Amino acid sequence: MARELTEKKLEQLNQQPIIKTGVKMSKDGKWVLHRTTITDIKPMTYFEKVFGGQ
């Protein structure tokens, strides 16, 4: 039972940050490296309003 996403839900999903994670072993094998990158995309009008008030 597949349901289509509503316009409002698609807009909400597009506003969420992009989260990427990765795990690898260090070159010497002594450490486990876990990296998380969060990318948040905002329009320039957002920053103009935020920084324009200062």
Side-chain angles (χ1 to χ4, degrees):
M1 175 191 281
R3 295 190 302 174
E4 291 187 29
L5 297 174
T6 64
E7 185 81 21
K8 182 177 180 179
K9 187 62 177 177
L10 286 172
E11 184 179 330
Q12 290 173 341
L13 290 171
N14 284 332
Q15 291 178 355
Q16 293 182 351
I18 300 166
I19 300 174
K20 295 180 182 180
T21 62
V23 179
K24 67 179 184 177
M25 181 104 39
S26 65
K27 291 181 182 178
D28 61 8
K30 293 182 180 180
W31 303 95
V32 174
L33 306 171
H34 178 227
R35 176 182 290 179
T36 302
T37 305
I38 301 173
T39 304
D40 190 19
I41 302 169
K42 299 256 188 252
M44 284 304 297
T45 54
Y46 171 83
F47 288 101
E48 290 169 355
K49 287 182 182 179
V50 170
F51 295 122
Q54 293 181 0

Coordinates of all heavy atoms in Angstrom, one line a residue:
M1 N 0.8 -1.2 0.0 CA 0.0 0.0 0.0 C 0.9 1.2 0.0 O 1.3 1.8 1.0 CB -0.9 0.0 1.2 CG -1.7 1.2 1.4 SD -2.6 1.4 2.9 CE -3.9 0.3 2.7
A2 N 1.3 1.7 -1.2 CA 2.1 2.9 -1.3 C 1.3 4.1 -1.4 O 0.3 4.2 -2.1 CB 3.0 2.8 -2.5
R3 N 1.6 5.1 -0.5 CA 0.9 6.4 -0.5 C 1.8 7.5 -1.1 O 3.0 7.5 -0.8 CB 0.5 6.8 0.9 CG -0.5 5.8 1.5 CD -1.1 6.4 2.7 NE -0.1 6.6 3.7 CZ -0.3 7.2 4.9 NH1 -1.5 7.6 5.3 NH2 0.7 7.4 5.7
E4 N 1.2 8.4 -1.9 CA 2.0 9.5 -2.4 C 2.2 10.5 -1.3 O 1.3 10.7 -0.4 CB 1.3 10.1 -3.6 CG 1.3 9.2 -4.8 CD 0.7 9.9 -6.0 OE1 0.8 11.2 -6.1 OE2 0.1 9.2 -6.8
L5 N 3.3 11.2 -1.3 CA 3.6 12.3 -0.4 C 2.8 13.5 -0.8 O 2.8 13.9 -2.0 CB 5.1 12.6 -0.3 CG 6.0 11.4 0.1 CD1 7.5 11.8 0.0 CD2 5.7 11.1 1.6
T6 N 2.3 14.2 0.2 CA 1.6 15.5 0.0 C 2.6 16.6 -0.3 O 3.8 16.5 -0.1 CB 0.8 15.9 1.2 OG1 1.6 16.1 2.3 CG2 -0.2 14.8 1.6
E7 N 2.1 17.6 -0.9 CA 2.9 18.8 -1.2 C 3.6 19.4 0.1 O 4.8 19.7 0.1 CB 2.1 19.9 -1.9 CG 2.8 21.1 -2.3 CD 3.5 20.9 -3.7 OE1 3.1 20.0 -4.4 OE2 4.4 21.6 -4.0
K8 N 2.8 19.4 1.2 CA 3.4 19.9 2.4 C 4.5 19.0 3.0 O 5.5 19.5 3.4 CB 2.2 20.0 3.5 CG 2.7 20.6 4.8 CD 1.5 20.7 5.7 CE 2.0 21.3 7.1 NZ 0.9 21.5 8.0
K9 N 4.3 17.7 2.9 CA 5.4 16.8 3.3 C 6.6 16.9 2.5 O 7.7 16.9 3.0 CB 4.8 15.3 3.3 CG 5.8 14.4 4.0 CD 6.0 14.7 5.4 CE 6.8 13.7 6.1 NZ 7.1 14.0 7.5
L10 N 6.5 17.0 1.2 CA 7.7 17.2 0.3 C 8.4 18.5 0.7 O 9.6 18.5 0.7 CB 7.2 17.3 -1.1 CG 6.8 15.9 -1.8 CD1 6.3 16.1 -3.1 CD2 8.0 15.0 -1.8
E11 N 7.7 19.6 1.0 CA 8.3 20.8 1.4 C 9.1 20.7 2.7 O 10.2 21.1 2.9 CB 7.3 21.9 1.5 CG 7.8 23.3 1.8 CD 6.7 24.3 2.0 OE1 5.7 24.2 1.3 OE2 6.9 25.3 2.7
Q12 N 8.5 19.9 3.7 CA 9.1 19.7 4.9 C 10.4 18.9 4.8 O 11.4 19.2 5.4 CB 8.2 19.0 5.9 CG 7.0 19.8 6.4 CD 6.0 19.0 7.2 OE1 6.0 17.7 7.1 NE2 5.2 19.6 8.0
L13 N 10.3 17.9 3.9 CA 11.5 17.0 3.7 C 12.6 17.8 3.0 O 13.8 17.6 3.3 CB 11.1 15.8 2.8 CG 10.3 14.8 3.5 CD1 9.8 13.7 2.5 CD2 11.0 14.1 4.7
N14 N 12.3 18.7 2.1 CA 13.3 19.5 1.4 C 14.0 20.5 2.4 O 15.1 21.0 2.1 CB 12.7 20.3 0.2 CG 12.4 19.3 -0.9 OD1 13.1 18.4 -1.1 ND2 11.4 19.7 -1.7
Q15 N 13.3 20.8 3.5 CA 13.9 21.8 4.4 C 14.8 21.1 5.4 O 15.5 21.8 6.2 CB 12.8 22.6 5.1 CG 12.1 23.5 4.2 CD 10.9 24.2 4.9 OE1 10.6 23.9 6.1 NE2 10.3 25.1 4.2
Q16 N 14.9 19.8 5.5 CA 15.7 19.1 6.5 C 17.1 19.1 6.0 O 17.4 19.1 4.8 CB 15.2 17.7 6.6 CG 13.9 17.6 7.3 CD 13.4 16.2 7.5 OE1 14.0 15.2 7.0 NE2 12.3 16.0 8.2
P17 N 18.1 19.1 7.0 CA 19.5 19.0 6.6 C 19.8 17.6 6.0 O 19.2 16.6 6.3 CB 20.2 19.2 7.9 CG 19.2 18.9 9.0 CD 17.9 19.2 8.4
I18 N 20.9 17.6 5.2 CA 21.4 16.4 4.7 C 22.5 15.8 5.7 O 23.4 16.5 6.0 CB 22.1 16.6 3.3 CG1 21.0 17.2 2.4 CG2 22.7 15.4 2.7 CD1 21.6 17.8 1.1
I19 N 22.3 14.6 6.1 CA 23.2 14.0 7.1 C 23.9 12.8 6.5 O 23.2 11.9 6.0 CB 22.4 13.6 8.4 CG1 21.8 14.8 9.0 CG2 23.4 12.9 9.4 CD1 20.9 14.5 10.2
K20 N 25.2 12.8 6.5 CA 26.0 11.7 6.0 C 26.9 11.2 7.1 O 27.5 12.0 7.8 CB 26.8 12.2 4.8 CG 26.0 12.6 3.6 CD 26.9 13.0 2.4 CE 26.1 13.5 1.3 NZ 26.9 13.9 0.1
T21 N 27.0 9.9 7.2 CA 28.0 9.3 8.2 C 28.8 8.3 7.5 O 28.5 7.7 6.5 CB 27.2 8.7 9.3 OG1 26.4 7.6 8.8 CG2 26.3 9.6 10.1
G22 N 30.0 8.1 8.1 CA 30.9 7.1 7.6 C 31.8 6.6 8.7 O 32.1 7.3 9.6
V23 N 32.2 5.3 8.6 CA 33.0 4.7 9.6 C 34.2 4.0 8.9 O 34.0 3.4 7.9 CB 32.3 3.7 10.4 CG1 33.2 3.0 11.4 CG2 31.1 4.3 11.1
K24 N 35.4 4.2 9.3 CA 36.6 3.6 8.8 C 37.6 3.4 9.8 O 37.6 4.0 10.9 CB 37.1 4.3 7.6 CG 37.8 5.7 7.9 CD 38.3 6.4 6.7 CE 39.0 7.6 7.0 NZ 39.6 8.3 5.9
M25 N 38.6 2.5 9.5 CA 39.7 2.2 10.4 C 40.9 3.1 10.1 O 41.1 3.5 8.9 CB 40.1 0.8 10.3 CG 41.2 0.3 11.2 SD 40.8 -0.7 12.6 CE 39.5 -1.8 12.0
S26 N 41.6 3.5 11.1 CA 42.8 4.4 10.9 C 43.9 3.5 10.1 O 43.8 2.3 10.1 CB 43.4 4.9 12.2 OG 43.9 3.8 13.0
K27 N 44.8 4.2 9.5 CA 45.9 3.5 8.7 C 46.7 2.5 9.6 O 47.0 1.5 9.1 CB 46.8 4.5 8.1 CG 46.2 5.3 7.0 CD 47.1 6.3 6.4 CE 46.5 7.2 5.3 NZ 47.4 8.1 4.7
D28 N 46.9 2.9 10.8 CA 47.7 2.0 11.7 C 46.8 0.9 12.4 O 47.3 0.0 13.0 CB 48.5 2.7 12.8 CG 47.6 3.5 13.7 OD1 46.3 3.4 13.6 OD2 48.1 4.3 14.5
G29 N 45.5 1.0 12.2 CA 44.6 0.0 12.7 C 44.3 0.1 14.2 O 43.6 -0.8 14.7
K30 N 44.7 1.2 14.8 CA 44.5 1.4 16.2 C 43.2 2.1 16.6 O 42.7 2.1 17.7 CB 45.6 2.1 16.9 CG 46.9 1.3 16.8 CD 48.0 2.1 17.5 CE 49.3 1.4 17.5 NZ 50.4 2.1 18.1
W31 N 42.6 2.8 15.6 CA 41.4 3.6 15.9 C 40.3 3.4 14.9 O 40.5 3.0 13.7 CB 41.9 5.1 15.8 CG 43.0 5.5 16.7 CD1 44.3 5.5 16.3 CD2 42.9 5.8 18.0 NE1 45.0 5.9 17.4 CE2 44.2 6.1 18.5 CE3 41.9 6.0 18.9 CZ2 44.5 6.4 19.8 CZ3 42.1 6.3 20.2 CH2 43.4 6.6 20.6
V32 N 39.1 3.6 15.3 CA 38.0 3.6 14.5 C 37.5 5.0 14.3 O 37.3 5.7 15.3 CB 36.8 2.7 15.1 CG1 35.5 2.9 14.2 CG2 37.2 1.3 15.2
L33 N 37.4 5.5 13.1 CA 37.0 6.9 12.8 C 35.5 6.9 12.4 O 35.1 6.2 11.5 CB 37.9 7.5 11.7 CG 39.4 7.4 11.9 CD1 40.1 7.8 10.7 CD2 39.8 8.2 13.1
H34 N 34.8 7.7 13.1 CA 33.4 7.9 12.7 C 33.2 9.4 12.4 O 33.3 10.2 13.3 CB 32.5 7.5 13.9 CG 31.0 7.7 13.6 ND1 30.2 8.3 14.5 CD2 30.3 7.4 12.6 CE1 29.0 8.3 14.0 NE2 29.0 7.8 12.8
R35 N 32.8 9.7 11.2 CA 32.6 11.0 10.7 C 31.2 11.3 10.4 O 30.5 10.5 9.7 CB 33.5 11.3 9.5 CG 33.3 12.7 8.9 CD 34.1 12.9 7.6 NE 35.5 12.9 8.0 CZ 36.5 13.1 7.1 NH1 36.2 13.1 5.9 NH2 37.7 13.1 7.6
T36 N 30.6 12.4 10.9 CA 29.3 12.8 10.6 C 29.3 14.2 10.0 O 29.9 15.1 10.6 CB 28.4 12.8 11.9 OG1 28.4 11.5 12.4 CG2 27.0 13.2 11.5
T37 N 28.7 14.4 8.8 CA 28.7 15.7 8.1 C 27.2 16.1 8.0 O 26.4 15.3 7.5 CB 29.3 15.6 6.7 OG1 30.6 15.1 6.9 CG2 29.3 16.9 6.1
I38 N 26.9 17.3 8.5 CA 25.5 17.8 8.4 C 25.6 19.0 7.5 O 26.3 20.0 7.7 CB 25.0 18.3 9.8 CG1 25.0 17.1 10.7 CG2 23.6 18.9 9.6 CD1 24.6 17.4 12.1
T39 N 24.8 19.0 6.4 CA 24.8 20.0 5.4 C 23.4 20.6 5.5 O 22.4 20.0 5.3 CB 25.0 19.5 4.0 OG1 26.3 18.9 4.0 CG2 25.0 20.7 3.0
D40 N 23.3 21.9 5.8 CA 22.0 22.6 5.9 C 22.0 23.7 4.9 O 22.9 24.6 4.8 CB 21.9 23.2 7.3 CG 20.5 23.7 7.6 OD1 19.5 23.4 6.9 OD2 20.3 24.5 8.5
I41 N 21.0 23.7 4.0 CA 20.9 24.6 2.9 C 19.8 25.6 3.1 O 18.7 25.2 3.4 CB 20.7 23.9 1.5 CG1 21.8 22.9 1.3 CG2 20.5 24.9 0.4 CD1 21.5 21.9 0.1
K42 N 20.2 26.9 3.1 CA 19.2 28.0 3.4 C 19.3 29.0 2.3 O 20.4 29.2 1.7 CB 19.5 28.7 4.7 CG 19.5 27.8 5.9 CD 18.2 28.1 6.7 CE 18.2 27.3 8.0 NZ 17.3 26.2 8.0
P43 N 18.2 29.6 1.9 CA 18.3 30.7 0.9 C 19.0 31.9 1.4 O 19.0 32.2 2.6 CB 16.8 31.0 0.6 CG 16.1 30.5 1.8 CD 16.9 29.4 2.4
M44 N 19.6 32.7 0.5 CA 20.3 33.9 0.9 C 19.3 34.9 1.6 O 19.8 35.7 2.5 CB 20.9 34.6 -0.3 CG 22.2 33.9 -0.8 SD 23.4 33.8 0.5 CE 23.8 35.4 0.9
T45 N 18.1 34.9 1.3 CA 17.1 35.8 2.0 C 17.1 35.5 3.5 O 16.9 36.4 4.3 CB 15.7 35.7 1.4 OG1 15.3 34.3 1.4 CG2 15.7 36.2 0.0
Y46 N 17.2 34.3 3.9 CA 17.3 33.9 5.3 C 18.4 34.6 6.0 O 18.3 35.2 7.0 CB 17.4 32.4 5.4 CG 17.7 31.9 6.9 CD1 16.6 31.8 7.8 CD2 19.0 31.6 7.3 CE1 16.9 31.3 9.0 CE2 19.2 31.2 8.6 CZ 18.2 31.0 9.4 OH 18.4 30.6 10.7
F47 N 19.6 34.6 5.4 CA 20.8 35.2 6.0 C 20.7 36.7 6.0 O 21.2 37.4 6.9 CB 22.1 34.7 5.3 CG 22.4 33.3 5.6 CD1 22.1 32.3 4.8 CD2 23.0 33.0 6.9 CE1 22.4 31.0 5.1 CE2 23.3 31.6 7.2 CZ 23.0 30.6 6.3
E48 N 20.1 37.2 4.9 CA 19.9 38.7 4.9 C 19.1 39.2 6.0 O 19.3 40.2 6.6 CB 19.4 39.1 3.5 CG 20.3 38.9 2.4 CD 19.7 39.1 1.0 OE1 18.4 39.2 1.0 OE2 20.4 39.0 0.0
K49 N 18.0 38.4 6.4 CA 17.1 38.8 7.5 C 17.8 38.6 8.8 O 17.7 39.5 9.7 CB 15.9 38.0 7.4 CG 14.9 38.3 6.3 CD 13.7 37.5 6.4 CE 12.7 37.9 5.2 NZ 11.5 37.1 5.2
V50 N 18.6 37.5 9.0 CA 19.3 37.2 10.2 C 20.4 38.3 10.5 O 20.5 38.9 11.6 CB 19.9 35.8 10.2 CG1 20.8 35.6 11.4 CG2 18.8 34.8 10.2
F51 N 21.2 38.5 9.5 CA 22.3 39.4 9.7 C 22.0 40.9 9.5 O 22.7 41.8 9.9 CB 23.5 39.0 8.8 CG 24.1 37.7 9.2 CD1 24.2 36.7 8.2 CD2 24.6 37.4 10.4 CE1 24.7 35.5 8.6 CE2 25.1 36.2 10.8 CZ 25.2 35.2 9.8
G52 N 20.9 41.1 8.8 CA 20.4 42.5 8.5 C 20.0 43.2 9.8 O 20.0 44.4 9.9
G53 N 19.5 42.5 10.8 CA 19.0 43.1 12.0 C 20.1 43.5 12.9 O 19.8 44.1 14.0
Q54 N 21.4 43.2 12.6 CA 22.5 43.6 13.5 C 23.1 44.9 13.2 O 23.1 45.4 12.1 CB 23.6 42.5 13.5 CG 23.1 41.2 14.1 CD 24.2 40.2 14.0 OE1 25.3 40.4 13.6 NE2 23.9 39.0 14.5

